[in-house]
Amino acid sequence: MKARQLALVMAAALSLGACSSLNPFASGDSKSKALKPLTNPVAITETWNVRLGNAGVFVLQPAQVNGAVFAADSEGDVVRVESGRTVWKTRLKTTVSGGVGASADLVVVGTPKGEVIALDAASGEIKWRVAISAEVLAPPAVSDGIIVVRGADSRLFGLDPADGKRRWMYQRATPSLSLRSAAGVVLDRNAILAGFPGGKLAAISPANGSLMWEGTVAVPRGATELERMADITSLPVVGSRATCAVAYQGRVACFDMSNGSTLWTRDLSSSRGLDLDEKHVFVTDDKGAVHALDISSGASAWKQDLLAGRGTGRPLASGEHVVVGDSEGYVHLLRKDDGSLVGRQRAASSPILADLQRAAGDIIVQTRDGNIAAVNVK
C-alpha cells in the first residue's frame, strides 16, 4: 500500500509540470516562453538586493512588518533587512523548511523535523523552540495573541507567542492522496482561514481552534485518485467584499466572511494562487496565464496569456497594477484595467517561487537561489 501511495504522489508531482513550488522533481529551469519587447514600458527600479542562501527543495517566503523584511534560507540563516541593510543575521544550525512568519515582536520559522523556532524581531535572539509532531512547510501566521503553525499533514497548531506552548490543535480528515504544499493560513481579525485537500476552505477560531464555518471551493471529480485531487494549495485572500480561494483541478470561489455562504464560483484551476482588490479577483492559472474576474459575479474581465509557460507565480495587486514573478527571475507588471503587460524587471536569474510581498512602497522578491530584492514601480 505504501509503495502504491508513493507512486501516486510521484505521479501527481510530475503531472504539475512547470509548477516547481509543488513539484519536487522539476528544476524550474526549463526553457520558458520568450518575452516580447514592451512599448514605452513603465519604469521599474531595484531599490536594494541582499544575498542569502538558497531555499533548496523548499519554498521560503519573506515577511515584512513596518518596513522591515525578514527572510530565511534552507541552511538556517534568518535575517532582518531594512532599506537593504542587514540589521541582524542569526544562524539556527538546522534546516529551515517553513517560513518566514513575523510580527513586530517575533520571527517564526519551522523545520522538516517539526521544530518551531521563534526569534526576537528586534535582536534576532532565539526566544524559544518547541516541537510539533509534523513537518513544517508553510510560514507560520504570527500575531500578538496567537501563532498558527500548519503541519505538512494539514493539522493546525495554535501556539502561545510567549513560550510556544500548544493551546489547541485543529485536525480534519483528508484524502489519501494530496499535493505537497507550502501554503499556510491567513490570520484575519477574528478568524483563521485555511484551505485544505479536497477543496474545502475553513474559518477557524483563534481562541480555541474550533470550526466557525466551512465552504466548498471545489468538488473532487474523476475516476482515479489523481483526477479527484482538488486541493487548495495557495493562501486564501480576504477583502472588504469577499473572501476568496482557488483549488488545483477545481474552481475559484468567493464567500461571505461573516457566515461562509457562497457568493459565486467559477471553474478555473490554479496551484499558484490569487489576490483581489475592490473590483476584481486576480488568478494565475496552471498554465501561467493571469485572469481578472469580477469580484461581484466571477465574470471574466480579461485574460493575459503572454506569460503562459513561464512558471508565473501568485499575482499581487498593487496600485494600478498586478505584479507577478516567473521562473526566470523576472517581475512583470500588468495593468489592472485590461491586463496588458506594461513593465518588467529581472530581480535575479533563478526562479521566483515565493509569493511577492509589499514593504514600504516596494515589492519584495525572494528567489530560489537566495536573492532578496526590493523593486519599485515609478
Side-chain angles (χ1 to χ4, degrees), residues 52-297:
L52 195 61
N54 67 59
V57 298
F58 307 109
V59 179
L60 297 175
Q61 311 277 3
Q64 78 82 29
V65 180
N66 299 327
V69 175
F70 302 94
D73 63 28
S74 63
E75 297 298 316
D77 287 343
V78 184
V79 297
R80 174 177 178 142
V81 179
E82 295 181 18
S83 302
R85 179 178 65 90
T86 301
V87 177
W88 54 254
K89 182 177 182 179
T90 299
R91 180 153 293 177
L92 300 179
K93 298 181 181 179
T94 188
T95 301
V96 170
S97 55
V100 174
S103 69
D105 298 318
L106 288 179
V107 181
V108 186
V109 297
T111 76
K113 295 183 178 180
E115 189 176 29
V116 180
I117 306 170
L119 301 87
D120 183 88
S123 66
E125 174 189 359
I126 296 175
K127 302 294 288 184
W128 48 259
R129 309 169 83 123
V130 299
I132 62 172
S133 54
E135 179 184 18
V136 181
L137 297 175
V142 184
S143 73
D144 293 338
I146 192 74
I147 295 171
V148 183
V149 181
R150 181 173 190 153
D153 56 5
S154 290
R155 284 183 295 167
L156 305 184
F157 300 84
L159 307 181
D160 191 313
D163 53 16
K165 288 183 179 179
R166 186 192 298 183
R167 292 182 180 173
W168 50 259
M169 182 183 74
Y170 176 82
Q171 184 174 9
R172 58 181 293 119
T174 57
S176 58
L177 179 63
S178 59
L179 297 173
R180 185 174 170 86
S181 169
V185 303
V186 173
L187 186 54
D188 179 73
R189 297 188 294 273
N190 299 316
I192 300 158
L193 291 166
F196 289 94
K200 298 294 186 179
L201 177 68
I204 298 154
S205 168
N208 56 22
S210 62
L211 180 65
M212 299 168 63
W213 55 259
E214 180 179 86
T216 299
V217 176
V219 178
R221 297 186 178 94
T224 68
E225 291 182 73
L226 285 176
E227 290 174 339
R228 287 194 296 271
M229 280 197 305
D231 298 357
I232 300 173
T233 60
S234 56
L235 286 175
V237 289
V238 181
S240 61
R241 300 178 61 185
T243 297
C244 304
V246 63
Y248 170 71
Q249 293 191 152
R251 302 182 300 189
V252 180
C254 288
F255 304 89
D256 185 323
M257 184 64 181
S258 64
N259 57 21
S261 61
T262 303
L263 301 176
W264 55 263
T265 64
R266 169 75 182 268
D267 287 340
L268 183 63
S269 174
S270 176
S271 55
R272 275 90 163 171
L274 75 175
D275 198 8
L276 54 74
D277 64 9
E278 292 298 311
K279 294 182 178 179
H280 297 106
V281 178
F282 305 101
V283 188
T284 301
D285 69 22
D286 285 327
K287 294 182 179 179
V290 183
H291 302 249
L293 309 178
D294 185 275
I295 199 167
S296 299
S297 64

